Amino acid sequence: MTQPDILMTAPMQPAVIAALEARFTMHRLWEAPDPAAFLREIGPSIRGMATSTLYGRVDAELIGALRQLEIIASFGVGYDQIDVAVAAERGVVVTNTPGVLDEEVADLAVGLLLATVRQIPAAERYLRAGRWLQGNFPLSPTLRGRKIGIVGLGAIGKAIARRLAAFDVAIAYHGRTKQPDMPYPWHPTLIGLAQACDVLIVMVPGGAATRHLIDRPVLQALGRDGILINVARGSVVDEDALIEALRNGTILTAGLDVYNDEPRVPQALIDTDHVVLLPHLGSASAHTRAAMGQLVVDNLESWFATGQPLTPVAETAHLVPEA
């Protein structure tokens, strides 16, 4: 039986590449010296795609070059790098990798919050520089008595809330709708949540609908004792407004794992010593990345074996035939 042809846009883990090469005829776009010529040559035969944010945008031009494309399997929960509207219009199913990374990202979010509140990275730098010999590290802010607002109470947001409950802090959330059976107060507006809390943890998808959701008015509402934690997408935060808020003391500090133009981080953030900056580590453990890669493989394999992907995104779920 002829193996379906699939395109991998950027390198994934060796185990993922090996698994896909065993099941499909795989073409590596990142190795092509002339990608446009390569796509003209192999494009008519491609039925599936494995992609990730390492590649960049899967846009209308790329989708249009693959006339037989049936499925795009994306590595990661966020899929704002894919033009899903064009895919849906073309009848192309898009899948992502939810569930398998929820706990890892939630762990990182809580760790980033603690590191930011207690200034753990700055304290370590202080010790390594030999400054403890001259005196104690300055007293830090505290998590005690704080009110935590979660922006986006999806699966990861709920996992964060479960962890924070053990710290005996007040928790509230903002989302499009109030969720039944949730024990936390719901705020119908983001401004209202920011006014009621002194920590905001951002956990919403990227894309046009959430671009600069955290803007100057939200930061002003968060206030001078406020802390912003972003483990979602860099585009969700207006970085210029955040830098201004940090400089002016509009908010206290921030902990960031994501940025608007990764891996380029604004020098103004790097130069702000009390801000905690991580290089997009949310799901970056060997265990979780292996599970994410396996789900990419499983989605492609299931689609071509049964016509049923495992985790289609909402915008293309209607394209999946009933089992």
Side-chain angles (χ1 to χ4, degrees), residues 67-89:
R67 305 307 302 176
Q68 302 303 314
L69 188 64
E70 302 170 22
I71 182 171
I72 300 171
S74 182
F75 181 95
V77 170
Y79 49 93
D80 46 300
Q81 83 279 11
I82 300 171
D83 195 329
V84 180
V86 169
E89 183 180 327

Side-chain angles (χ1 to χ4, degrees), residues 6 23 58 91 114-115 130 154 166 183 198 203 217 231 289-290 292 321:
I6 67 168
R23 296 163 173 81
V58 177
L114 293 173
D198 47 26
M203 200 58 255
V231 287
R289 289 291 173 86
M292 292 165 65

Side-chain angles (χ1 to χ4, degrees), residues 4-233:
D5 286 70
I6 67 168
L7 179 70
M8 183 177 283
T9 57
M12 295 185 183
Q13 303 105 313
V16 175
I17 293 175
L20 291 176
E21 286 183 328
R23 296 163 173 81
F24 304 100
T25 300
M26 196 178 80
H27 305 270
R28 307 180 185 208
L29 181 59
W30 74 94
E31 292 183 350
D34 185 342
F38 181 69
L39 288 172
R40 285 194 298 270
E41 177 186 349
I42 59 96
S45 65
I46 297 297
R47 296 174 59 196
M49 181 193 302
T51 192
S52 74
T53 54
L54 289 175
Y55 171 73
R57 289 284 297 169
V58 177
D59 56 16
E61 183 178 1
L62 178 57
I63 295 171
L66 310 175
R67 305 307 302 176
Q68 302 303 314
L69 188 64
E70 302 170 22
I71 182 171
I72 300 171
S74 182
F75 181 95
V77 170
Y79 49 93
D80 46 300
Q81 83 279 11
I82 300 171
D83 195 329
V84 180
V86 169
E89 183 180 327
R90 281 277 317 278
V92 177
V93 172
V94 177
T95 68
N96 63 343
T97 59
V100 295
L101 52 69
D102 295 354
E103 305 301 322
E104 203 77 78
V105 176
D107 289 348
L108 191 282
V110 174
L112 181 55
L113 171 60
L114 293 173
T116 304
V117 171
R118 296 301 309 275
Q119 290 292 284
I120 293 172
E124 188 197 26
R125 291 193 295 270
Y126 187 90
L127 180 149
R128 288 181 181 275
R131 296 175 64 190
W132 194 13
L133 297 170
Q134 285 80 52
N136 290 334
F137 184 75
L139 299 178
S140 74
T142 182
L143 191 62
R144 299 303 92 224
R146 286 190 176 270
K147 299 177 181 178
I148 314 293
I150 300 176
V151 185
L153 200 68
I156 300 175
K158 290 183 178 70
I160 293 170
R162 289 195 304 271
R163 285 157 174 75
L164 289 176
F167 288 86
D168 195 27
V169 292
I171 300 168
Y173 72 99
H174 165 70
R176 288 189 297 268
T177 58
K178 183 177 182 179
Q179 298 190 36
D181 304 323
M182 283 293 105
Y184 320 114
W186 171 67
H187 290 262
T189 68
L190 180 52
I191 289 287
L193 179 70
Q195 290 171 336
C197 297
D198 47 26
V199 175
L200 285 184
I201 300 179
V202 185
M203 200 58 255
V204 295
T210 59
R211 177 172 172 76
H212 290 182
L213 185 68
I214 308 299
D215 56 10
R216 184 173 288 104
V218 170
L219 295 170
Q220 289 171 341
L222 185 57
R224 296 185 64 83
D225 197 38
I227 296 173
L228 177 70
I229 303 295
N230 187 12
V231 287
R233 282 288 186 267

Side-chain angles (χ1 to χ4, degrees), residues 232-321:
R233 282 288 186 267
S235 61
V236 176
V237 174
D238 182 338
E239 282 185 351
D240 290 338
L242 174 60
I243 290 167
E244 178 186 337
L246 291 165
R247 282 176 174 167
N248 296 343
T250 301
I251 66 170
L252 180 64
T253 189
L256 308 173
D257 186 44
V258 289
Y259 311 88
N260 191 56
D261 186 24
E262 297 178 5
R264 287 161 287 278
V265 178
Q267 191 63 41
L269 290 175
I270 293 173
D271 291 341
T272 306
D273 190 62
H274 65 282
V275 173
V276 179
L277 306 174
L278 300 179
H280 203 151
L281 298 180
S283 64
S285 73
H287 167 85
T288 294
R289 289 291 173 86
M292 292 165 65
Q294 187 59 51
L295 189 48
V296 170
V297 174
D298 293 345
N299 267 303
L300 288 165
E301 188 172 27
S302 181
W303 173 259
F304 287 109
T306 69
Q308 297 290 323
L310 302 180
T311 53
V313 304
E315 295 89 337
T316 64
H318 67 282
L319 299 172
V320 178

